[in-house]
Amino acid sequence: RLRERFPNAIIIITRLWAPSHFIHKETRMNLSAWAEQKGFGQGFIHNPRFRQAFLEDGEDNWSYVYGNPDETINQYQKKTAEKIGAHIVKMNFDDKADGPNGWIARGDKYLAADSFHLSKGGHAVLAQQIRDIVDRLGVPKERTLGQFLGTDYCNSWFESGVIDKGVEYSPNGRLYMMPHTDKYVLSFGDNDDNDTIGEGGWVKVSNPSDKIMELFIAYMTTGPTPSKYPKVEVTRKYDDKMKFILDPNTIGWKDKQVHVVRLAQIGTINPGAKHIISFRPLEKTEYPFRLVSIAITPVNENSNEQFLRLSGPKLAIS
């Protein structure tokens, strides 16, 4: 869809790596968790004692999950780049751990204090690679703006703090800046950052298109478990039997301390329909349920998104 909209754009796919991508062949523990268990803390990649301990453990005991070019994520990026004419920019890596150009030394240079995100130097290296691509290809003086083959409606107030007129919410809804951030969220009731279950609330959305569309919501989560957010029961008012459970835990971050947005698909919405979506917290937690966006998109027949009825297994909606 991005290529449809910007047919002449230079699209970059970044391939990054982190110590958590290394897995012990026997215990299946990732390297970040191993370092934490050994007492090296989050900044272990910058600690010479970590390097010594890792080498003593034996680097042959570890495998790099993205080292195989046939790995699913590598093949996915390759095929995507070929399909849309994108360019893959790779973070510098070396198969060997030790030495001045080994991945431990590179990690010390390219990773930030948390041994995960890029450092200023890491950003600079990637930026230079991207700049080289842009300089080589050049940027067209005339910009071409194409048309999406499908139509979608996305209402996100996470950055702007503005909820469009197409979305209504219950009288107890409160749009505010999340504490200690510059991000905006929608919660229901007066409570925040306390240990009460809190009130439920609702939002009303409409499908202005002439096609059946998929309905998504995005909400805040934390990790690792247990989450600081509650499990929430979601009910589609046009059908009280259609209920979902939102999992408040992050996915894909393993043992990292994160506070991020998670997307959930909650069924479809008919052409021209207006639906009320109700949210009911199911437990007491430190933070109240926080909603950040609603999106209506064309039905994707190949979607991997999963959603579960309340009566089904209590697995994550992702």
Side-chain angles (χ1 to χ4, degrees):
R1 291 175 59 79
L2 187 63
R3 176 57 76 198
E4 292 167 6
R5 187 62 167 169
F6 305 103
N8 297 329
I10 300 173
I11 299 178
I12 305 293
I13 298 173
T14 58
R15 182 177 296 175
L16 309 181
W17 63 267
S20 56
H21 296 154
F22 291 85
I23 305 296
H24 196 278
K25 294 177 181 179
E26 292 185 5
T27 66
R28 307 310 298 169
M29 178 181 289
N30 76 67
L31 186 54
S32 295
W34 182 85
E36 187 75 21
Q37 186 182 74
K38 297 292 184 180
F40 293 113
Q42 281 195 331
F44 63 88
I45 197 68
H46 310 291
N47 188 336
R49 292 191 300 108
F50 160 76
R51 170 186 166 278
Q52 181 180 352
F54 176 81
L55 295 175
E56 289 177 353
D57 183 79
E59 65 175 290
D60 290 339
N61 293 326
W62 297 81
S63 62
Y64 176 49
V65 294
Y66 299 138
N68 184 352
D70 294 326
E71 183 71 33
T72 301
I73 184 62
N74 293 335
Q75 285 297 310
Y76 180 78
Q77 286 189 338
K78 180 181 178 181
K79 291 178 180 178
T80 299
E82 291 173 349
K83 183 177 181 179
I84 67 174
H87 304 265
I88 297 177
V89 169
K90 302 177 183 179
M91 178 178 169
N92 292 342
F93 181 75
D94 192 275
D95 291 333
K96 292 293 183 180
D98 201 15
N101 293 315
W103 60 258
I104 294 179
R106 291 179 186 270
D108 181 34
K109 180 178 180 181
Y110 299 141
L111 297 178
D114 62 358
S115 304
F116 183 79
H117 293 94
L118 291 176
S119 65
K120 184 176 180 180
H123 279 289
V125 170
L126 286 181
Q128 185 58 55
Q129 292 184 57
I130 294 171
R131 189 179 296 111
D132 291 342
I133 292 174
V134 174
D135 289 343
R136 185 177 76 251
L137 299 177
V139 178
K141 293 182 179 180
E142 295 184 4
R143 308 297 174 86
T144 302
L145 193 63
Q147 295 293 326
F148 288 129
L149 295 181
T151 301
D152 54 19
Y153 305 91
C154 181
N155 193 334
S156 174
W157 48 91
F158 193 53
E159 299 282 351
S160 67
V162 177
I163 298 179
D164 293 343
K165 295 180 180 179
V167 174
E168 303 175 41
Y169 54 90
S170 54
N172 67 338
R174 185 165 63 98
L175 180 65
Y176 62 102
M177 185 178 288
M178 195 161 47
H180 312 299
T181 74
D182 58 356
K183 310 300 182 183
Y184 294 87
V185 294
L186 176 66
S187 290
F188 303 100
D190 295 330
N191 63 299
D192 193 16
D193 298 322
N194 56 31
D195 195 35
T196 62
I197 285 185
E199 300 177 57
W202 55 263
V203 295
K204 182 187 290 185
V205 299
S206 60
N207 178 7
S209 77
D210 59 356
K211 297 180 180 179
I212 295 176
M213 305 280 273
E214 289 184 320
L215 182 59
F216 293 85
I217 59 173
Y219 60 101
M220 297 305 302
T221 63
T222 64
T225 57
S227 177
K228 296 181 179 181
Y229 288 101
K231 289 183 180 178
V232 173
E233 177 189 275
V234 180
T235 305
R236 301 281 298 278
K237 282 298 186 182
Y238 77 99
D239 182 357
D240 287 340
K241 295 180 180 179
M242 181 173 271
K243 297 182 178 181
F244 309 86
I245 296 292
L246 298 182
D247 186 342
N249 297 292
T250 58
I251 52 175
W253 292 92
K254 301 184 183 296
D255 299 322
K256 290 291 181 182
Q257 296 282 344
V258 293
H259 190 187
V260 296
V261 173
R262 182 167 174 176
L263 186 70
Q265 182 195 37
I266 56 172
T268 59
I269 182 169
N270 290 326
K274 290 186 177 182
H275 288 177
I276 293 178
I277 307 167
S278 295
F279 303 94
R280 184 172 70 89
L282 299 177
E283 56 187 340
K284 295 180 180 180
T285 52
E286 182 176 347
Y287 300 158
F289 174 64
R290 291 170 174 164
L291 190 67
V292 300
S293 71
I294 296 173
I296 299 174
T297 69
V299 174
N300 183 359
E301 301 296 338
N302 297 317
S303 175
N304 289 323
E305 299 290 339
Q306 299 177 346
F307 61 97
L308 302 172
R309 294 296 179 94
L310 182 59
S311 59
K314 293 183 178 179
L315 299 177
I317 300 173
S318 62

